Amino acid sequence: MNKDPLVLTIDFGTQSVRAMLFDKTGKDLAKKQVKFEEPYYSLKPGWAEQKPEFYWERLKEATNGLKKENEDLWDRIEAVVCTTIRDTAVIVDKTGKPLRDVILWLDARQTPEAEKTRFSPFFMALVKTIGLFDMAAGSARVSACNWVHENEPDVWKNMYKFLFFSGYMTYRLTGVMKDCVANQIGHIPFDYKKKKWQKPSDMTACIYDLKEKDMVELVPAGEVIGYITGVASQALGIKAGIPVIAAGSDKGSETLGGGCVDETGASMSLGTTSTVQVTTSKYVEPEPFAPCYPAVQPDKFNPEIEIYRGYWMLSWFKQEFAKEEVMEAKAKGISAEEILNGHLKDIPAGCEGLILQPYWTPGIKYPTARGSILGFSDFHTKYHIYRAIIEGIAYGLYDGMKTIEKKTKKKVEFITVSGGGSVSDEICQITSNIMGVKVRRVQTSETSSLGAAITAFKGIGVYPSFEEAAKNMIRVSSEFEPDMKEHALYEELYNRIYRKIYPNNKNLYKDIRAILNKYEK
């Protein structure tokens, strides 16, 4: 092994791919990011698809661009590791050729009444009796595999394997159809507690149309999953034969990269999808039908609460309300978020009564939900809305953190933030004030890449364990202490207002859907 080994991390997000070089101290020596001009296309409203080759071409740009700018470091690469977005489906034939385009995690297509042809009478009666019918039926309806089975029979007939995007990228890099255990997060027949594929006799196996034969072999994180092929080497500029280390999903890697290795630390992703996640030794479901995900560490779990359209809302806000700020930012050579974040301090905590609930996309817990903005007055400005979005996402994450604390019976002592929102000091401070605990940033905002690098260095034997690697590779760069006076205000707004928005509007959301469905037919 090289005296000063490096690992090449590949991090596929929804909006871009990043190739980075890390050393064994956790220092990111180089980075090449390629943004996606069109992250997905939509054949119908709510759909989100992308051509598989699109991702490979963008990866070629990233790795070859990184190599061109860092030729002196390239020979020190001892391993490659790839972390990706979750619950993103690729269906391939026996040759590994995709039979259709990729269905992304944010695709909102549904199979109406999927439960009627999938749930046994016993299971149907059970979930109705225990009040979980909406959750179970919702999982069946939004599953990409169920939709393909019902709507694209030719694709289903010729399917050899149903892959997540992580497994597909592993195949493109190594030529083997395998995936990491810590990537199996989504609408698939996976036993999250036992960390293996479900058997037909398992209680919830009827929710999804996939069988074990349709799935790939799973490998624990931190193990060699394959080696860079000659074809991948020629395309990506990476030396053939370099080991590829199995890594966890982007969120799981963020949690590890943020140093949240037990229940005392919560990882909050302030990205397109916003999540709060901790690491536990025991399997603890945060909510019914919301499984506890496999952590990167093979003996650990990650209970998580997710806001599907988290900081995506800021992109929506910019497009709909901030065209002037976008133009000003372009003229100044800065991001529009910098200008908008500068206005956050002009709006008091609580946005003078404007409260947002960020259910732009319904989730498992609230399948009928819609987003809500409550408390408008004539003095509210667009900057109030901007701050209300940030506070609303934080309320949702706070709600999730409290749920996880209740389940684990452990108090969170610190929060590590990552994702686009974490770059802003103002957002970090607001988050700390709402949570009532200190918020940390580590030495890089690319914590999923850092977590993947930790996994790789453990995988090639530089460190004996994930915990030892994390200890040597993570450094806290800044901390934000909560303003407890503001926290008291937020706590009262959360308990007396925010938590009541969904229960008080639940039936209205159902009525909206029923009325629209009636007139669409």
Side-chain angles (χ1 to χ4, degrees):
M1 183 182 293
N2 195 296
K3 182 180 178 182
D4 297 307
L6 302 181
V7 296
L8 170 64
T9 65
I10 297 167
D11 185 353
F12 270 103
T14 306
Q15 311 268 0
S16 69
V17 60
R18 296 168 293 283
M20 299 181 69
L21 294 175
F22 284 87
D23 67 14
K24 63 184 179 182
T25 71
K27 184 176 181 180
D28 53 326
L29 301 177
K31 170 183 171 181
K32 185 68 174 181
Q33 180 176 17
V34 176
K35 295 184 178 180
F36 303 154
E37 290 186 11
E38 184 184 25
Y40 58 88
Y41 68 86
S42 301
L43 294 175
K44 293 185 179 181
W47 289 20
E49 300 184 33
Q50 187 54 269
K51 297 188 177 304
E53 205 60 28
F54 170 89
Y55 294 109
W56 188 247
E57 291 299 318
R58 302 295 84 75
L59 178 58
K60 285 165 62 176
E61 291 180 43
T63 56
N64 286 295
L66 187 68
K67 180 180 181 180
K68 184 177 180 181
E69 296 168 5
N70 299 277
E71 290 278 2
D72 57 322
L73 301 177
W74 215 245
D75 287 340
R76 290 167 55 189
I77 297 173
E78 294 287 342
V80 176
V81 63
C82 182
T83 182
T84 75
I85 50 178
R86 312 177 300 186
D87 200 16
T88 294
V90 188
I91 298 174
V92 300
D93 63 16
K94 288 186 177 181
T95 70
K97 179 182 177 181
L99 294 170
R100 69 170 332 279
D101 287 349
V102 179
I103 301 177
L104 275 75
W105 63 269
L106 43 67
D107 188 285
R109 76 187 70 195
Q110 293 195 16
T111 306
E113 299 183 327
E115 66 281 0
K116 288 188 176 181
T117 56
R118 291 166 176 84
F119 292 4
S120 67
F122 172 77
F123 185 73
M124 183 79 80
L126 175 65
V127 292
K128 286 183 176 180
T129 300
I130 60 179
L132 295 177
F133 172 76
D134 284 347
M135 291 185 181
S139 295
R141 292 172 184 176
V142 303
S143 166
C145 71
N146 292 353
W147 188 92
V148 171
H149 190 186
E150 194 157 310
N151 293 276
E152 297 178 345
D154 288 342
V155 171
W156 192 263
K157 178 182 177 182
N158 293 299
M159 176 178 68
Y160 174 61
K161 294 296 180 183
F162 181 96
L163 300 170
F164 274 154
F165 183 62
S166 51
Y168 178 67
M169 291 312 303
T170 294
Y171 174 72
R172 293 300 298 262
L173 292 169
T174 67
V176 298
M177 286 194 197
K178 297 181 181 180
D179 202 357
C180 181
V181 174
N183 280 318
Q184 307 317 304
I185 299 167
H187 297 89
I188 50 172
F190 185 71
D191 186 324
Y192 290 91
K193 187 173 184 179
K194 296 179 180 178
K195 299 183 180 180
K196 62 182 183 179
W197 301 120
Q198 286 185 324
K199 298 182 181 301
S201 58
D202 289 346
M203 180 67 70
T204 58
C206 62
I207 293 176
Y208 308 112
D209 292 340
L210 292 167
K211 308 301 179 188
E212 186 172 358
K213 68 177 179 61
D214 303 318
M215 315 307 287
V216 296
E217 179 185 342
L218 300 179
V219 176
E223 293 190 6
V224 175
I225 200 168
Y227 299 87
I228 295 293
T229 65
V231 173
S233 173
Q234 187 173 10
L236 305 178
I238 306 169
K239 185 178 178 181
I242 287 179
V244 177
I245 306 299
S249 68
D250 54 356
K251 302 301 182 185
S253 295
E254 280 182 0
T255 297
L256 177 60
C260 302
V261 296
D262 58 31
E263 297 90 344
T264 62
S267 172
M268 286 192 178
S269 177
L270 309 182
T272 305
T273 297
S274 295
T275 58
V276 55
Q277 187 177 98
V278 302
T279 302
T280 63
S281 297
K282 295 182 179 180
Y283 182 84
V284 181
E285 290 190 354
E287 296 168 345
F289 274 92
C292 190
Y293 300 139
V296 175
Q297 303 97 305
D299 59 340
K300 300 289 180 69
F301 298 91
N302 290 144
E304 174 189 287
I305 300 294
E306 183 175 33
I307 300 173
Y308 289 99
R309 292 278 191 168
Y311 272 73
W312 165 89
M313 292 184 193
L314 298 192
S315 298
W316 167 80
F317 179 88
K318 284 194 303 178
Q319 180 177 331
E320 301 297 333
F321 300 104
K323 288 183 171 57
E324 291 179 9
E325 287 78 5
V326 169
M327 293 177 62
E328 180 185 348
K330 188 175 182 180
K332 293 181 177 179
I334 60 176
S335 69
E337 285 83 357
E338 289 182 65
I339 294 174
L340 291 167
N341 291 341
H343 288 281
L344 289 172
K345 63 180 182 297
D346 301 330
I347 309 299
C351 294
E352 298 180 290
L354 195 64
I355 298 178
L356 177 142
Q357 193 159 65
Y359 297 160
W360 263 227
T361 300
I364 292 176
K365 185 177 181 181
Y366 304 122
T368 62
R370 284 174 170 257
S372 298
I373 305 178
L374 180 71
F376 269 115
S377 294
D378 58 2
F379 53 80
H380 283 131
T381 68
K382 64 181 179 182
Y383 300 119
H384 284 83
I385 298 174
Y386 184 75
R387 179 162 179 140
I389 291 172
I390 292 166
E391 290 184 349
I393 296 170
Y395 281 135
L397 294 173
Y398 183 52
D399 191 57
M401 186 178 79
K402 289 174 79 69
T403 297
I404 292 173
E405 286 180 331
K406 184 177 179 180
K407 293 289 185 176
T408 62
K409 297 180 173 57
K410 298 284 183 67
K411 292 290 292 183
V412 169
E413 297 175 7
F414 70 90
I415 293 166
T416 300
V417 290
S418 56
S422 69
V423 177
S424 164
D425 287 356
E426 294 88 351
I427 290 176
C428 287
Q429 189 61 60
I430 290 171
T431 302
S432 178
N433 294 346
I434 289 178
M435 305 299 161
V437 297
K438 60 187 173 185
V439 166
R440 294 176 176 174
R441 287 190 299 224
V442 298
Q443 73 266 26
T444 175
S445 61
E446 304 288 0
T447 47
S448 58
S449 293
L450 176 57
I454 289 169
T455 304
F457 277 111
K458 190 273 178 188
I460 61 176
V462 172
Y463 296 107
S465 68
F466 289 95
E467 289 76 15
E468 190 69 19
K471 180 180 177 181
N472 285 276
M473 294 178 66
I474 298 171
R475 293 177 299 282
V476 175
S477 61
S478 56
E479 283 192 343
F480 300 83
E481 293 288 343
D483 180 327
M484 296 310 290
K485 182 178 179 180
E486 287 199 2
H487 175 67
L489 167 65
Y490 283 127
E491 183 76 3
E492 190 161 359
L493 288 171
Y494 165 76
N495 282 308
R496 295 182 60 185
I497 309 298
Y498 180 87
R499 292 184 64 194
K500 296 179 181 179
I501 294 175
Y502 178 76
N504 288 343
N505 289 285
K506 180 179 179 180
N507 290 332
L508 295 179
Y509 296 143
K510 288 184 177 180
D511 288 345
I512 289 172
R513 175 175 291 183
I515 293 169
L516 293 177
N517 287 343
K518 175 182 175 182
Y519 284 93
E520 284 175 358
K521 294 179 180 178

